[in-house]
Amino acid sequence: MLNQVIIVGKLMDNPKLEELGDGRKVTYITLEIRRAYKNADSGDYDTDEIKCTLWSGIAENTVEYCKKGSTVGVKARLKSDESSDCIEVVAEKITFINNREKDFNLKN
């Protein structure tokens, strides 16, 4: 069996590190991913917004090296929540594709 997802997109916001009561560190990011085709109605490209959970070192490094607009690749697994019928994207590895400020426009 295989549970693996690979996503490449741009961070919609600056990542923020949170420390939980038990000392674990986590950050939640949302990736904006432009679809490869235009919408038939408007002629514009639609985008998907995918929320991901990053834990420990992956979370710390992402907060330190990435900002809104950074392009990242995420290798993740899907985790189902039986109580709410939700699917969570949990990052196992992140690749910083474009994380230098001069390589993207920051609109803060």
Side-chain angles (χ1 to χ4, degrees):
M1 308 271 173
L2 180 64
N3 180 358
Q4 186 175 43
V5 176
I6 297 174
I7 305 167
V8 177
K10 292 187 179 206
L11 291 177
M12 293 188 67
D13 295 301
N14 290 326
K16 295 177 185 156
L17 193 64
E18 297 179 27
E19 187 167 341
L20 303 179
D22 60 6
R24 293 183 300 158
K25 295 180 180 173
V26 64
T27 188
Y28 304 98
I29 61 172
T30 302
L31 295 180
E32 179 180 54
I33 304 160
R34 189 177 85 169
R35 293 187 184 171
Y37 53 88
K38 292 184 179 183
N39 181 311
D41 296 328
S42 68
D44 295 326
Y45 290 99
D46 288 335
T47 57
D48 294 308
E49 296 176 5
I50 308 294
K51 294 180 183 181
C52 304
T53 304
L54 289 70
W55 292 97
S56 304
I58 295 171
E60 293 176 54
N61 288 334
T62 301
V63 169
E64 183 174 347
Y65 295 109
C66 295
K67 295 181 180 177
K68 177 180 178 180
S70 295
T71 302
V72 297
V74 177
K75 178 184 165 215
R77 64 183 168 82
L78 299 178
K79 178 182 173 191
S80 61
D81 182 355
E82 296 173 12
S83 63
S84 65
D85 292 330
C86 289
I87 300 287
E88 180 181 3
V89 178
V90 180
E92 295 178 344
K93 181 177 180 179
I94 191 161
T95 302
F96 306 136
I97 297 171
N98 169 341
N99 61 349
R100 296 181 309 201
E101 189 170 322
K102 70 178 185 175
D103 290 336
F104 55 86
N105 283 329
L106 295 177
K107 296 180 181 178
N108 290 333

